[in-house]
């Protein structure tokens, strides 16, 4: 299995961290259907704008969402390319069939 570069590894770690929260998972699930503005995300998830802003910042830092401003509104969408990176990382583990058992450790014999 190839080792990801340091930057790629950091993004993979940040991506899985970002996906480990129920609110952020809710955002991602909503963005699978269409681009959303903050007010719609807040209403659907039942959270305040300040709380959602924290979670959106985490998703943006993990490169999982894109933000674009239109007038005074900010719209969010999924960064599909970064989800492909996470999917490819996990796919490497899906192909593991037989993991060899540990060899005997003679250190304390």
């Amino acid at each position: 299995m190839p080792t990801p570069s340091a930057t790629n590894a950091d993004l993979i770690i940040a991506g899985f961290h970002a996906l480990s929260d129920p609110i952020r998972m809710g955002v991602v699930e909503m963005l699978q259907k269409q681009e959303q503005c903050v007010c719609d995300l807040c209403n659907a998830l039942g959270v305040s704008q300040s709380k959602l802003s924290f979670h959106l910042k985490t998703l943006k830092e993990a490169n999982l969402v894109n933000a674009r401003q239109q007038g005074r509104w900010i719209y969010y969408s999924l960064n599909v390319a970064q989800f492909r990176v996470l999917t490819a990382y996990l796919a490497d583990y899906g192909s593991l069939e037989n993991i060899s058992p540990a060899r005997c450790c003679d250190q304390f014999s």
Side-chain angles (χ1 to χ4, degrees), residues 68-99:
R68 72 171 179 88
Q69 188 164 357
Q70 183 175 336
R72 61 181 221 187
W73 301 107
I74 298 177
Y75 292 87
Y76 291 90
S77 61
L78 292 182
N79 180 2
V80 176
Q82 185 59 24
F83 279 90
R84 285 187 187 119
V85 169
L86 297 179
T87 301
Y89 177 79
L90 288 176
D92 286 342
Y93 289 92
S95 66
L96 299 177
E97 293 296 324
N98 295 315
I99 298 176

Side-chain angles (χ1 to χ4, degrees), residues 2-4 12 24 26 35 42 59 63 72-73 75 78 84 91 94:
T3 304
I12 290 169
R24 294 191 289 267
E35 182 180 61
C42 286
L59 289 166
N63 205 26
R72 61 181 221 187
W73 301 107
Y75 292 87
L78 292 182
R84 285 187 187 119

Side-chain angles (χ1 to χ4, degrees), residues 30 36-49 52 73:
M30 287 186 66
Q36 301 276 336
C37 71
V38 171
C39 57
D40 290 338
L41 289 168
C42 286
N43 290 337
L45 296 169
V47 296
S48 68
Q49 190 167 350
L52 184 63
W73 301 107

